[in-house]
Amino acid sequence: MVFSAALKQIFLLAVLAKSSLAAIVARFEDLPNTDFDFVIIGGSETLGGTAGLVVANRLTENPSHSVLVIEAGGTNVGVFNSEVPFFNSRLFNTPADWNYTTTPMTGLGGRSMGYPQGHILGGTSSMHGLAYTRGSSDDYDRYAELTKDSGWSWNEIQPYLRKNEKWTAPADHHNTTGEFDPSVHGFHGINAVSLPGFVYSFDHRVIQAASELPEFPFNLDMNSGTEIGIGWTQSTIKAGVRSSSATSYLAPEFAQRTNLHVLTHSRVTRVFQTGTAKGSPVFTGVEFADDSSHGAGPRTRITAKKEVILSGGAIGTPHILQNSGIGDSAHLSEVGVEPLVNLPSVGQNMTDHPFVANTWLVNSTDTFETALRNATLMEEQTKEWNATHMGPYAAGTFNAAGWLRLPDNSTIFKEFKDPSAGPHGAHYEFIIANGVTRLPIPPTGNFMVIGTAIVTPLSRGSVLINSSDPFDPPVVNPNLLDSPFDIFAMREAIRASRRFAQAPAFSDYVINLVDTAVTDDELDTFIRSSAITVSHIVGTASMSAKDASYGVVDPDLRVKKVVGLRVVDSSVIPLVPAAHTQVPTYVVAERASDLIKAAW
């Protein structure tokens, strides 16, 4: 009998639950012991659950280190919409999502929006769009300069990229010659990466267009450190199935380690002080409660013998820190939390990529909408994926992307210094899709979509608690499109997408542009009324140089003014990279693991 990967993991978890081996349990009393060297707070939000499982895996490579991961969400095993690459957005507004709502934002004309964040083992790596993008070499060299730590530079993080990445053949096993550069990839890591496993004729038009328009050059591999151009999307997909931190770093061969334990459905309410060392408070205590209790249930406390690693993500981490008395003391006092450590940067510097979908009516029926409107065809495609992990559902929702820069003589640079990290990095991204993917879809017509995302935004938001109840959601204000630079860059990105759509490759394909805005004012109205997030949040527990007067963590990710507590997730990234943030988060987690190992 042949078992799917999910069934194998379910079987393993059932075995582990009845043995003295490692435990993945939903109740604290079911853990085989309560004595741990390291306690990792997963939290699941943004890319926190992502990073926490990396650290858990790497620390338990040493059998003398015992690790407990505390996870607010449930298991990823058997969650169909997590496994199917094409269905990633179907976990939004479900129990696998924290279901946050932002504050009204001035840059969006007073609109608020839902803010998808993974509430599931593996965090947002179990529900995001799967894009594997590292960013440019300039991004990492800037991190090294900001933190005065060369270990964050492009050259120095190369081993961590290789430790993470396991390049894999696409699901359809097509010839990938000329679609990527093998010399810049890792083939022996843990997390699978592949080219699209199902390719439409539309995707070849996109690549052809890149050869027809000098403004949009073809880039063989956007993960080489120089990302500018149009190329094939690389995604964290293994044989037609999502590869998340839960399926890779917590795969059965790792989950069976006797020194690794995972407690799900448990929400951390705060970390607490357990002593002092050299005049600084030691925070190695963790308090948590049943996630389903909504704060009404009892609190449980546990103390790590060595360190607590906070991997709650760019929303969860500042939420927990502030509830623990670590943050802006004046604000904490205002909301009824006793301030213990004054770190005003906690929850500030929130940065995200704003996104606008630009839509064209096309002369084709071979687009996403055809199947999404046809229940019979959808059932056939679902059966194909269930039987073979092949077909349209074996790929993500976009098979091509572009990373592009504003012209050097853009008028905006008279007012603002270029916010990009350097010439190898983009100002904006094209996310190029063979149709509309977010439900509900239009009732008629077939479309192509070029999403434009600003990847060097100057707008900054915040994540702040507004009560002393840790079960109350924080106030999430991404403050998208607040900066005039961001709105200018989005206008120019949209205009660039329209020029790209005029390539000869689309001459018999595109019927008309659906969006009618042309002037600056019209485009601004269109942008502010339609922009959304792509949930690439960073910066809310930013790292800075050890001697900096700002920031939350030092370059070794230890929380400033505190002993025994580190942050390892996307919140420590000080400036949002010109990339989807899962790879930079994996880099943070892999390097953090080595830093922690070196300390113990």
Side-chain angles (χ1 to χ4, degrees):
M1 182 179 292
V2 178
F3 292 95
S4 70
L7 287 175
K8 288 179 180 177
Q9 195 170 4
I10 290 171
F11 176 76
L12 175 68
L13 297 185
V15 171
L16 295 180
K18 296 181 179 180
S19 72
S20 60
L21 296 176
I24 301 177
V25 300
R27 300 190 313 160
F28 179 71
E29 53 265 35
D30 291 334
L31 287 169
N33 65 75
T34 58
D35 191 25
F36 301 99
D37 295 313
F38 300 95
V39 176
I40 299 173
I41 302 168
S44 295
E45 301 178 18
T46 55
L47 290 161
T50 304
L53 293 182
V54 175
V55 178
N57 178 297
R58 295 306 187 187
L59 293 182
T60 54
E61 288 174 338
N62 182 342
S64 67
H65 287 162
S66 60
V67 171
L68 173 65
V69 178
I70 303 177
E71 168 62 48
T75 179
N76 63 298
V77 176
V79 180
F80 181 74
N81 287 336
S82 176
E83 297 173 353
V84 181
F86 189 75
F87 284 173
N88 65 287
S89 64
R90 298 192 179 194
L91 288 178
F92 299 171
N93 301 312
T94 72
D97 183 0
W98 281 88
N99 294 304
Y100 289 117
T101 300
T102 72
T103 61
M105 288 172 272
T106 303
L108 301 189
R111 284 191 298 126
S112 59
M113 66 175 66
Y115 221 62
Q117 304 294 308
H119 184 252
I120 184 174
L121 195 59
T124 303
S125 76
S126 292
M127 66 182 290
H128 61 37
L130 304 112
Y132 180 90
T133 56
R134 298 170 176 172
S136 75
S137 58
D138 298 327
D139 283 314
Y140 296 89
D141 290 342
R142 181 161 64 173
Y143 299 151
E145 181 181 1
L146 285 170
T147 61
K148 300 180 182 179
D149 181 349
S150 62
W152 294 112
S153 69
W154 175 254
N155 287 338
E156 293 298 316
I157 59 101
Q158 291 304 306
Y160 300 116
L161 290 170
R162 300 303 191 276
K163 288 181 74 172
N164 168 253
E165 181 186 23
K166 184 174 185 178
W167 188 268
T168 308
D172 61 0
H173 292 276
H174 73 266
N175 184 356
T176 58
T177 301
E179 295 182 358
F180 81 113
D181 181 358
S183 69
V184 302
H185 288 279
F187 292 79
H188 306 290
I190 290 180
N191 194 30
V193 179
S194 65
L195 287 160
F198 186 88
V199 178
Y200 294 87
S201 59
F202 165 77
D203 301 319
H204 291 290
R205 286 182 186 268
V206 173
I207 300 303
Q208 180 184 341
S211 69
E212 296 172 343
L213 300 175
E215 182 183 358
F216 307 99
F218 175 70
N219 187 333
L220 176 63
D221 201 309
M222 59 190 69
N223 285 312
S224 64
T226 301
E227 65 185 2
I228 304 302
I230 308 289
W232 292 99
T233 301
Q234 300 168 14
S235 302
T236 46
I237 299 174
K238 179 180 181 181
V241 181
R242 174 187 295 272
S243 180
S244 68
S245 68
T247 65
S248 57
Y249 285 89
L250 197 62
E253 63 266 35
F254 306 124
Q256 64 183 335
R257 290 175 179 165
T258 58
N259 57 337
L260 172 58
H261 300 81
V262 179
L263 176 63
T264 62
H265 298 290
S266 298
R267 184 183 304 200
V268 170
T269 51
R270 65 188 183 112
V271 293
F272 61 87
Q273 185 175 348
T274 53
T276 57
K278 298 180 180 179
S280 297
V282 177
F283 277 78
T284 54
V286 179
E287 180 185 88
F288 58 95
D290 185 332
D291 185 57
S292 64
S293 72
H294 305 292
R299 306 285 168 88
T300 301
R301 287 188 164 198
I302 192 170
T303 300
K305 291 190 291 184
K306 290 182 168 66
E307 287 189 28
V308 170
I309 295 102
L310 180 49
S311 297
I315 293 178
T317 284
H319 188 208
I320 292 170
L321 286 173
Q322 290 171 88
N323 277 301
S324 306
I326 303 173
D328 185 322
S329 293
H331 175 70
L332 296 181
S333 295
E334 288 175 3
V335 298
V337 173
E338 180 186 359
L340 300 176
V341 180
N342 186 35
L343 287 177
S345 294
V346 171
Q348 302 295 336
N349 192 44
M350 181 184 187
T351 317
D352 194 6
H353 295 155
F355 170 95
V356 169
N358 305 280
T359 308
W360 287 259
L361 185 69
V362 299
N363 181 29
S364 173
T365 57
D366 187 26
T367 66
F368 298 156
E369 296 87 13
T370 297
L372 292 173
R373 295 192 194 106
N374 187 323
T376 301
L377 182 54
M378 282 194 68
E379 184 179 358
E380 291 174 358
Q381 293 178 347
T382 301
K383 286 180 179 178
E384 180 182 16
W385 187 87
N386 277 327
T388 65
H389 291 164
M390 301 269 286
Y393 297 164
T397 53
F398 62 103
N399 287 345
W403 300 88
L404 302 156
R405 290 182 61 81
L406 297 171
D408 291 341
N409 63 353
S410 295
T411 57
I412 196 67
F413 294 135
K414 295 178 181 179
E415 183 179 356
F416 294 93
K417 181 182 177 182
D418 183 354
S420 71
H424 300 115
H427 292 114
Y428 61 92
E429 178 188 9
F430 285 172
I431 299 175
I432 308 172
N434 184 36
V436 176
T437 59
R438 295 209 174 199
L439 302 177
I441 62 169
T444 60
N446 294 81
F447 304 93
M448 80 172 190
V449 175
I450 302 178
T452 47
I454 305 310
V455 296
T456 56
L458 286 178
S459 302
R460 297 293 184 268
S462 61
V463 176
L464 298 173
I465 61 173
N466 65 349
S467 83
S468 59
D469 184 351
F471 276 78
D472 283 346
V475 177
V476 179
N477 178 18
N479 204 25
L480 297 177
L481 297 173
D482 178 66
S483 168
F485 174 85
D486 298 357
I487 195 76
F488 176 94
M490 185 65 83
R491 283 199 305 264
E492 295 310 304
I494 290 172
R495 287 170 171 149
S497 74
R498 294 175 179 182
R499 293 193 296 273
F500 183 72
Q502 293 173 355
F506 299 114
S507 61
D508 63 346
Y509 188 74
V510 169
I511 297 174
N512 63 265
L513 176 66
V514 174
D515 316 309
T516 58
V518 176
T519 67
D520 283 3
D521 287 344
E522 290 171 344
L523 283 169
D524 287 357
T525 299
F526 168 63
I527 291 165
R528 296 192 192 282
S529 65
S530 61
I532 59 173
T533 175
V534 279
S535 297
H536 295 161
I537 320 167
V538 304
T540 52
S542 181
M543 62 177 167
S544 62
K546 285 194 174 183
D547 58 358
S549 60
Y550 63 92
V552 178
V553 300
D554 287 333
D556 60 5
L557 308 183
R558 288 186 169 103
V559 174
K560 295 175 183 289
K561 304 180 183 178
V562 166
V563 175
L565 179 63
R566 296 192 206 227
V567 176
V568 182
D569 57 38
S570 63
S571 71
V572 306
I573 301 173
L575 293 168
V576 69
H580 298 231
T581 45
Q582 72 156 324
V583 180
T585 301
Y586 279 128
V587 167
V588 166
E590 286 283 11
R591 185 173 185 225
S593 300
D594 274 2
L595 292 170
I596 297 167
K597 285 179 178 180
W600 299 99

